[in-house]
C-alpha cells in the first residue's frame, strides 16, 4: 500500500505541466473564449496568471441579475479591467447588464471599447419597466461615437429604450447589424442603413419598435446577403396599412415574420436561395369582408421567393393562400421544404405545395397538435411528380398517430418511387401504431423507415 502511494506521488512530481509551458499569447487566446469575470478567477493560480486575463482580446461583462447601481463590485471590476488594459485594442466587446435611466457607466464603457478599435460589439441592456413607459425620453445610453466607428464589423444592440442616433452615421466596415427590443424613429433607422455601405447581415427582431407610423418600410441595400425581419403587429402597431419594400439583389437568406401588410415590393431577389416565412392574417383581416383583397400582395410575395432552394413555411403562411384564394406559384428549384403547423389545417395545402415543387427531394414536417383529427384533403389519386420521381427523404416530427398523419405517411410511402429514408419521431415514448406504420406498402424497395 505504501509503495503504491509513493509511486503515485513520484508520477505527479514528474508529470509535465503542459499548460504552464504554453506561451502567454496562447493562454490569452484560450481565456478569450470565457466571460471576463470567469477568466479573472484564474488570477489566483499563480503570479504569472494574476494579470494574464486582462490581455485577452475579447472582453465579456455579464451581470444580468441585479441593476449595476446596486452592484458596485461589478462596476469597479469593469473599470479596473479597462484601466489595466490601457490602450490595447479589443477584438470583441460584450456587455449584458440591467441599467436605469441615464446610467453614465454604460456610455463610458461602450466609448472605451470603440476607442480601442473594437471589431465586434454586442450590447444587451435591460431597462426597468418604469423607464420603458417613458419612451419619449432619450436615455443617452449609446454614445454618438458608436455610430462613427471605423473598425466595427459586427454590431448587435438590444436595448429597451430609444436609440441615440446622431445626424451623421458612418460605419464603413460594418457587415452585421442586429437590432432588438429598441425604440427607433424610422428616419434614424434609415440613417443607420445609409451609413453602412458594406452591410451583409441585417436583423430587425421582435420587440424592435418604430415610434411613429411607417407608410413604406424599405430595405434597399445592394450588399445585403442575409435579412431577418420579425415585425409582429402585436408589438408593432405602426405597421398597419404599411408596405414592405425590399431591394437586395445579392440577398441569399430571408426570414420574414409579420401579418399581411398592404403591399409587398420585392425587387430582384435573383440570388435568394433560402427563405423562412411566417405571414399571418390578423383576426380583423381573416374575418373581414375584404380578406380576399390580401390575396394579391401575398401572391406577389410568394412569386418573388419562388426561385429558392430551401423553404420553411408555418401554418400561418400555408393558411393565408387558402383564405385569400391565392394560387401558389411553381417552385422550380426547391429541393427542401419544411412545414411547421399546430393544427390539421396546416396540411390542407400540402398536396398543392407538392404539385408546385416538381424537384423536391427532402420534406420535413414539424407540428405540435392543439386539437383536431381530420383527414388530409385533396390528395390526388396519382402521387405528385416530385413524390414519385424526386423525393428521397421525409422526416415527420412529433408524431401522435392521428388519422391525418397516417394518411400522409401511407401516401408518401406508396407513391415515392425513389424514396430512400423516412424518419418518424414520436411525441411520446409509446406509439401503438408502430406495427401499422411498418406494414404500409412501399413503392421504393430501398426505402428505410426509422421510428424514434
Amino acid at each position: 500500500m505504501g509503495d503504491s502511494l509513493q509511486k503515485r506521488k513520484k508520477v505527479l512530481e514528474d508529470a509535465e505541466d503542459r499548460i504552464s509551458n504554453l506561451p502567454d499569447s496562447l493562454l490569452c487566446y484560450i481565456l478569450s473564449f470565457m466571460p471576463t469575470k470567469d477568466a479573472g478567477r484564474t488570477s489566483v493560480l499563480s503570479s504569472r496568471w494574476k494579470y494574464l486575463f486582462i490581455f485577452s482580446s475579447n472582453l465579456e461583462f455579464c451581470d444580468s441579475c441585479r441593476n449595476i447601481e446596486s452592484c458596485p463590485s461589478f462596476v469597479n471590476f469593469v473599470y479596473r479591467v479597462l484601466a489595466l488594459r490601457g490602450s490595447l485594442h479589443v477584438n470583441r466587446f460584450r456587455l449584458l447588464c440591467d441599467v436605469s435611466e441615464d446610467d453614465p457607466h454604460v456610455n463610458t464603457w461602450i466609448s472605451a471599447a470603440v476607442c480601442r478599435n473594437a471589431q465586434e460589439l454586442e450590447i444587451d441592456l435591460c431597462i426597468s419597466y418604469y423607464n420603458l413607459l417613458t419612451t419619449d425620453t432619450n436615455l443617452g445610453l449609446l454614445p454618438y461615437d458608436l455610430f462613427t466607428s471605423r473598425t466595427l464589423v459586427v454590431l448587435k444592440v438590444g436595448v429597451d429604450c430609444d436609440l441615440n442616433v446622431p445626424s451623421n452615421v458612418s460605419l464603413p466596415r460594418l457587415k452585421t447589424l442586429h437590432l432588438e427590443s429598441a425604440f427607433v424613429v424610422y428616419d434614424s433607422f434609415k440613417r443607420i442603413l445609409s451609413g453602412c455601405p458594406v452591410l451583409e447581415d441585417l436583423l430587425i427582431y421582435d420587440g424592435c419598435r418604430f415610434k411613429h407610423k411607417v407608410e413604406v418600410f424599405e430595405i434597399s441595400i445592394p450588399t445585403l446577403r442575409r435579412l431577418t425581419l420579425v415585425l409582429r403587429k402585436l408589438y408593432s402597431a405602426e405597421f398597419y396599412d404599411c408596405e414592405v419594400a425590399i431591394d437586395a439583389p445579392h440577398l441569399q437568406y430571408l426570414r420574414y415574420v409579420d401579418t399581411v401588410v398592404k403591399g409587398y415590393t420585392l425587387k430582384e431577389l435573383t440570388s435568394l436561395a433560402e427563405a423562412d416565412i411566417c405571414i399571418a392574417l390578423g383576426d380583423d383581416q381573416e374575418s373581414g369582408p375584404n380578406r380576399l383583397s390580401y390575396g394579391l400582395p401575398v401572391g406577389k410575395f410568394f412569386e418573388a421567393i419562388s426561385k429558392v432552394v430551401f423553404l420553411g413555411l408555418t401554418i400561418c403562411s400555408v393558411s393565408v393562400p387558402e383564405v385569400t384564394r391565392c394560387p401558389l406559384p411553381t417552385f422550380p428549384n426547391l429541393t427542401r421544404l419544411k412545414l411547421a403547423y399546430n393544427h390539421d389545417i396546416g396540411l390542407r395545402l400540402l398536396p398543392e405545395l407538392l404539385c408546385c415543387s416538381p424537384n423536391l427531394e427532402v420534406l420535413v414536417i414539424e407540428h405540435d397538435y392543439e386539437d383536431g383529427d381530420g383527414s388530409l384533403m385533396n390528395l390526388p389519386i396519382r402521387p405528385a411528380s416530385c413524390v414519385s420521381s424526386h423525393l428521397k427523404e421525409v422526416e415527420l416530427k412529433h408524431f401522435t398517430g392521428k388519422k391525418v398523419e397516417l394518411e400522409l405517411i401511407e401516401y408518401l410511402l406508396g407513391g415515392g418511387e425513389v424514396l430512400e429514408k423516412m424518419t418518424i419521431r414520436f411525441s411520446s415514448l409509446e406509439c401503438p401504431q408502430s406495427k401499422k406504420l411498418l406494414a404500409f406498402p412501399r413503392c421504393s424497395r430501398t426505402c428505410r423507415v426509422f421510428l424514434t
Side-chain angles (χ1 to χ4, degrees), residues 114-180:
V114 172
C115 291
R116 288 163 175 78
N117 297 324
Q119 297 183 39
E120 298 182 26
L121 188 58
E122 183 176 350
I123 307 164
D124 192 348
L125 307 177
C126 182
I127 315 296
S128 66
Y129 178 75
Y130 171 78
N131 290 318
L132 282 176
L133 300 178
T134 59
T135 58
D136 292 330
T137 301
N138 189 336
L139 299 184
L141 288 174
L142 301 182
Y144 284 162
D145 53 5
L146 171 64
F147 297 97
T148 56
S149 168
R150 303 191 64 83
T151 59
L152 269 182
V153 178
V154 176
L155 176 59
K156 300 180 180 181
V157 178
V159 292
D160 294 321
C161 67
D162 295 353
L163 282 187
N164 196 15
V165 181
S167 56
N168 295 319
V169 177
S170 179
L171 298 166
R173 296 187 58 195
L174 194 70
K175 293 185 177 182
T176 299
L177 175 62
H178 292 183
L179 300 177
E180 300 184 45

Side-chain angles (χ1 to χ4, degrees), residues 317-362:
S317 306
V318 173
S319 62
V320 168
E322 180 186 44
V323 174
T324 61
R325 299 180 186 176
C326 160
L328 292 173
T330 299
F331 296 90
N333 304 324
L334 189 64
T335 60
R336 180 182 176 89
L337 172 65
K338 179 181 178 181
L339 179 63
Y341 65 98
N342 60 357
H343 196 276
D344 293 346
I345 191 176
L347 288 178
R348 284 183 181 177
L349 278 192
L350 181 59
E352 184 177 350
L353 278 170
L354 294 176
C355 291
C356 294
S357 310
N359 296 302
L360 188 67
E361 296 181 359
V362 180

Side-chain angles (χ1 to χ4, degrees), residues 429-444:
L429 296 178
E430 297 181 1
C431 181
Q433 292 93 349
S434 296
K435 293 183 179 180
K436 186 175 184 179
L437 291 172
L438 295 175
F440 279 144
R442 307 175 195 180
C443 184
S444 170

